[in-house]
């Protein structure tokens, strides 16, 4: 499964890349879709189908969602979630 380890933490975010060809396409603009609260990437399938022909779509499951591996701490909030995506 594709995971990316965040630097300086034990968090390993699960992600999927979707394009029309099934391979990364650097010629197309990138679009990041984040799984909804208490959900996973499967809930984004309609959006993926709509955008994958025109964009390189990267779908991410944030902390405490789906297949992402981590330990939730009391300091986790929207700012931490945004920093995760930036990393």
């Amino acid at each position: 499964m594709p995971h990316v380890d965040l630097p300086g933490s034990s968090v390993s975010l699960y992600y999927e890349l979707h394009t029309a060809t099934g391979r990364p396409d650097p010629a197309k603009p990138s679009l990041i879709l984040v799984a909804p609260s208490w959900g996973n990437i499967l809930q984004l399938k309609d959006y993926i189908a709509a955008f994958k022909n025109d964009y390189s779509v990267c779908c991410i499951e944030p902390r405490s969602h789906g297949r992402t591996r981590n330990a939730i701490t009391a300091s986790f909030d929207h700012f931490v979630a945004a920093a995760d995506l930036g990393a």
Side-chain angles (χ1 to χ4, degrees):
M1 289 186 184
H3 282 84
V4 62
D5 295 328
L6 297 180
S9 73
S10 62
V11 177
S12 182
L13 294 179
Y14 178 81
Y15 71 95
E16 293 179 2
L17 296 175
H18 296 273
T19 61
T21 62
R23 293 179 309 219
D25 187 351
K28 293 190 177 183
S30 297
L31 177 66
I32 297 175
L33 299 177
V34 180
S37 294
W38 296 282
N40 60 34
I41 291 174
L42 296 175
Q43 294 174 292
L44 299 173
K45 66 180 175 157
D46 293 336
Y47 298 102
I48 293 168
F51 292 118
K52 74 178 183 178
N53 291 325
D54 298 318
Y55 296 90
S56 291
V57 180
C58 179
C59 301
I60 300 171
E61 293 180 350
R63 293 182 195 214
S64 76
H65 292 70
R67 293 156 279 194
T68 289
R69 298 185 294 249
N70 68 289
I72 297 295
T73 63
S75 63
F76 182 74
D77 58 17
H78 290 95
F79 298 106
V80 173
D84 287 352
L85 294 179

